[in-house]
Structures are given as structure tokens and as C-alpha cells.
Amino acid sequence: MADTSLNPFVRAQQSFKEAVETLGLESAVYEILKQPLRTFEVAVPFIRDDGTLQVFTGYRVQHNDALGPTKGGLRFHPGVNADEVKALAMWMSVKCALLGLPYGGGKGGIACDVDQLSEGEIERLSREYIRAVSLVIGPDKDIPAPDVSTNPQIMAWMVDEFSRIRGENTFGLITGKPLVIGGSRGRVEATGRGLVFATRQLATEMGIDFAKARVAVQGFGNVGSIAATIAYAMGASVLAVSDKDGGLYSASGIDIHDLLEYKRVNRGFAGYPQAEPIENRELLELPVDILFPAALENQITADNAPNIQAKIVGEGANGPTTPEADAILFDKGVMVVPDVLGNSGGVTVSYFEWVQNQTRLYWSEDEVNQRLEEYMSRAISDMHRMHERFGVTHRKAAYLVATDRLAEAMRVRGWLK
Ligand code: NAD
């Protein structure tokens, strides 16, 4: 029989089941949450540069809208399939409920390889996707955002297409837009910044002074490089960083601004003179206070979890720790900032972007960052309370907070009887 333990959809279902049982909720809560309320599979035909027509498969999944319109990214990747999109939509329900956002979880995508498409083809594909799903999305229904291989330019084409269909500018349709058409200040940095906020708060609760902490960061893209930069600015020593081509280590700490400049000029880390090369595997096992996995899923496994020396693992990536490794880290007393909290800064500032679009009142970056910290801080306290009340991991505690909120919304709306 196939091993379903790493199937994200099965994992998401199990997490909801455990949460419903732990909280002693009505079984109807699980019966509703165990699958999305709506799954749309659409054919997306578009014209290639050579004039031929090609059809890709697209998805939009709306997991649960008891708390408000659904919200979640759009992914362009060859591996996009219905189960993956459903699981990602379920995780978005957890993130939004945990952060106290007035949203349910959604997700979407197109199974395609953007590396094989020209810019013009990506634009036509993006516009066709919006036409295909235009009846089921909207600022008060379901609000997409960027995800893997989609970006602010793609969001701009999409909001333009939707606005043409509606016959009016509808900036609140989508978040992660360029600033000039209703994007939010602080949105690009939000995920890395939120990760550092959350980790710093939990470090303080553990008696670790974040300003003196030793940090290692796996992945130096949007999330990892911003987290490293902000941690460094707060006084932490970033001893190691890595990307897909390898890593760097310095026992006395890396000057992140200097490294960013080196990387910009040399298009990579290779040859950086102020640090030694290090393997990704070694980076994960360094004697540091805080480890930020901010690259890929399934990086901390039953094989390397026993060797992890960090006191806190702040998950920037989605699913970097396998369930087996999670149990090992819990037994070792390693505090894990679970991905649903650790990388929720992005959706939180997406919510702020939508609020700014709906009210037409735009905030300064300081206002955005201050509100982000408030939302993250409240979510951490709620999660920590559940952790102490039920003696479960922070990941399970995050599910308990979210499931309780979703259940309450469904109960008062009369869905459970
Ligand atoms: P990105 O593409 O900007 O960066 C990914 C980084 O990981 C790159 O530096 C890449 O070189 C590195 N990497 C790839 N393979 C690696 C390996 N084997 N070892 C070490 N490094 C490796 O992506 P991102 O936006 O920073 O996202 C990173 C993770 O965070 C993903 O899991 C993503 O789903 C999650 N996430 C991102 C956001 C966001 O707002 N960007 C929000 C929520 C979750």
C-alpha cells in the first residue's frame, strides 16, 4: 500500500481530526473541514507565440468560508494537482483562523512550467485563468495572491483582466500587487519579518535573548534573506546561510549587508571571502540557538532531527519538518515555531493590502509593520495557551486555536446541526 504519510492532503485531514478530538468538538466539525467546500478544475486555453493553441489545467479551491471570503496564493508549477491545492487551501484556513483574519482558506494554480513560457505567453495564460475562474473569485468571495512562480506583475495582469470583465477597477480582487496599483508597503518583506517577530517572542519566553542569539538560515530567497537581514539588524549573529548551490559559515557571524552586496554583484555566494563553505546538511546541525529552515519541505527528518542542536526551529518554509522529526524535536525540548504561524506574515500583510484597497486609505510601512507585530503576537499568545493547556506541540496547538475558531463560526452560522 502507498505510504500516505507525506501526502499533504492526508496530513492536513489528520491534523484537523486530531484537533477536533482533542478539543472534544462535534464530529460534524471534522466532517465539514476534512475536505474543501468547493474545488474548481478549469481548462485554460491560450495562444502560444507560434500561434498554436495549448490548454493547461488550472485549479481554484475554497476550503472553508465560515470566517469570511477565502484567501490564498496561485501557484504556477508542473507539479500542481488537485490534492496539493486542496491541502494548501486547508493550511490557509488554519493560518487565517490562527491569525484572527476575517478569511477562510483558498488556493489555486496552473499545472505548467513557466521556464518553458515567454513573458507574453505567461500574460495570456494568466488572463485566461482569470476568465476561467472569474465567476467564483472576487474581493468578497475569494482573493488570490502570489505563490510559487507567480509575482506582482502576474497579479497586475490578473487584476487588470478581472477589472475589464467587471467594468470597474477591482484592486481588492488580488493581493501582492505592485505598489502603484494598490499593493501594500511592507508586503514583500512581510513573511521574513513575521518569522523573526514570532521567533523572537518565543525566544524571549524561553529566556533566550534574541539580540544575542546565534542563528543559521537555510534558503536565502525572499523569506530566508529577509529573515537573516532583520535578525542581523536586531543584533543576532547569523553564523550560517545557504541556498540551493551551497552554504557559508563563519564562527564570528556573517555581515549580512556585505553578503547581500557580494551576492548581487557575483550572482551567488560562491567565493565569498569572509566565510567558509558549508554543506546544507551541516548547516542544519550547527550549534546555534535558532535555526530558520526557509527553503523547501521535508528538510528536517527522522535522520537528522536527533542531531539538531538549535533550541528553536523557526519554520519559514512550508512543511520543512516531517511528522516523525517533529516528534523527535518535541522529545528533545526543541521549540518549533510551526510553519502555519512562522510564515503567516505574508497572508497577514495581504489582508492589510485588501483592507487598504477596500478603504482607499494607504498606510506607511511603519504602520504595516506595527500591525503585523500585533497580529503575530496575539496569535503566538493564543497558540502558547493551547500548548500549555493540552501539553501538545506548538504545531498541534496552532491547529487547536484555528479549529476552535472555525468551529465556532460554523456553529453560530448554523452549519453544524
Ligand atoms: P524563494 O524561491 O525566493 O527562495 C528559496 C530559497 O531556497 C532560494 O535561496 C533557493 O536557492 C533555496 N534553496 C532551494 N533548494 C535548497 C536546498 N536544497 N538547500 C538550501 N537552500 C535551497 O522562495 P521563498 O518565497 O523564500 O519561499 C521559501 C519557502 O517559504 C517556501 O517553502 C515557500 O512556500 C514558503 N513561503 C513563502 C512565502 C513568501 O511570502 N515568499 C509565504 C509563505 C511561505
Side-chain angles (χ1 to χ4, degrees):
M1 214 170 90
D3 176 13
T4 53
S5 65
L6 293 180
N7 176 322
F9 181 49
V10 175
R11 261 166 76 176
Q13 285 182 320
Q14 281 165 351
S15 302
F16 275 129
K17 190 162 202 280
E18 273 176 30
V20 167
E21 286 168 2
T22 306
L23 290 162
L25 298 172
E26 307 90 311
S27 58
V29 175
Y30 177 64
E31 289 308 311
I32 296 181
L33 293 180
K34 75 180 180 189
Q35 70 274 296
L37 292 179
R38 291 175 287 276
T39 299
F40 303 100
E41 182 179 319
V42 292
V44 192
F46 73 109
I47 304 293
R48 299 293 306 250
D49 288 342
D50 65 7
T52 59
L53 181 119
Q54 185 157 8
V55 184
F56 284 143
T57 303
Y59 301 90
R60 189 69 199 168
V61 171
Q62 299 165 350
H63 172 245
N64 188 287
D65 56 8
L67 287 164
T70 46
K71 177 99 193 76
L74 283 174
R75 178 172 285 206
F76 285 3
H77 191 269
V80 165
N81 62 67
D83 265 9
E84 181 187 75
V85 184
K86 284 181 194 175
L88 292 165
M90 287 158 99
W91 282 332
M92 287 306 298
S93 284
V94 176
K95 276 191 210 182
C96 293
L98 173 65
L99 267 291
L101 310 181
Y103 289 142
K107 203 83 183 186
I110 303 178
C112 67
D113 183 354
V114 283
D115 292 340
Q116 306 299 318
L117 301 173
S118 70
E119 194 186 3
E121 288 172 334
I122 294 174
E123 176 175 354
R124 292 195 289 280
L125 178 65
S126 302
R127 289 183 182 277
E128 289 293 347
Y129 173 81
I130 288 300
R131 279 183 225 166
V133 297
S134 65
L135 281 178
V136 299
I137 61 172
D140 293 309
K141 272 189 198 170
D142 183 9
I143 306 133
D147 194 72
V148 174
S149 297
T150 54
N151 56 35
Q153 174 60 73
I154 292 175
M155 300 304 110
W157 290 323
M158 288 182 165
V159 83
D160 182 71
E161 191 61 33
F162 192 82
S163 297
R164 289 183 193 201
I165 294 168
R166 277 271 185 106
E168 59 193 17
N169 274 327
T170 317
F171 288 168
L173 165 77
I174 210 159
T175 59
K177 301 178 294 293
L179 264 186
V180 68
I181 53 163
S184 178
R185 291 190 170 75
R187 172 65 183 83
V188 173
E189 302 82 7
T191 306
R193 188 179 297 280
L195 176 62
V196 173
F197 282 159
T199 308
R200 183 178 60 172
Q201 186 165 331
L202 284 171
T204 306
E205 281 172 25
M206 283 178 81
I208 297 171
D209 182 357
F210 191 86
K212 296 200 180 104
R214 295 161 305 157
V215 174
V217 186
Q218 185 197 40
F220 208 67
N222 175 279
V223 180
S225 70
I226 302 281
T229 306
I230 295 173
Y232 178 73
M234 287 175 175
S237 296
V238 182
L239 301 194
V241 298
S242 67
D243 68 8
K244 62 180 179 342
D245 300 321
L248 292 172
Y249 171 75
S250 163
S252 57
I254 298 169
D255 178 335
I256 296 299
H257 298 300
D258 190 50
L259 177 64
L260 282 168
E261 182 55 18
Y262 181 90
K263 191 181 168 208
R264 192 185 62 78
V265 173
N266 297 281
R267 295 169 181 269
F269 291 158
Y272 181 64
Q274 317 294 343
E276 311 155 22
I278 187 175
E279 296 277 321
N280 252 306
R281 187 180 41 78
E282 295 171 81
L283 178 142
L284 296 173
E285 300 176 9
L286 283 174
V288 290
D289 302 300
I290 295 165
L291 171 65
F292 287 126
L296 305 168
E297 64 282 0
N298 299 330
Q299 294 299 295
I300 305 178
T301 63
D303 287 340
N304 60 8
N307 307 329
I308 300 283
Q309 299 190 63
K311 299 183 186 83
I312 303 180
V313 173
E315 295 183 342
N318 278 315
T321 310
T322 66
E324 298 74 24
D326 221 17
I328 295 170
L329 296 180
F330 186 63
D331 289 343
K332 275 164 59 102
V334 177
M335 163 98 74
V336 175
V337 182
D339 50 5
V340 284
L341 176 76
N343 64 32
S344 61
V347 67
T348 304
V349 176
S350 269
Y351 162 57
F352 299 160
E353 179 176 333
W354 177 81
V355 169
Q356 292 171 77
N357 296 151
Q358 302 299 74
T359 60
R360 269 80 165 160
L361 182 66
Y362 287 85
W363 309 346
S364 70
E365 188 162 349
D366 280 352
E367 281 175 280
V368 169
N369 292 344
Q370 196 187 325
R371 286 191 163 110
L372 172 62
E373 189 160 11
E374 275 167 31
Y375 273 74
M376 302 281 316
S377 179
R378 204 168 43 223
I380 293 162
S381 302
D382 293 344
M383 179 186 75
H384 204 62
R385 259 197 305 279
M386 283 291 192
H387 162 77
E388 296 204 317
R389 183 168 152 209
F390 290 99
V392 293
T393 62
H394 278 100
R395 191 183 316 282
K396 286 188 180 158
Y399 269 83
L400 294 181
V401 175
T403 307
D404 208 29
R405 282 198 184 129
L406 285 160
E408 195 185 339
M410 293 193 289
R411 196 176 301 116
V412 294
R413 290 182 69 152
W415 293 10
L416 301 180
K417 52 179 187 308

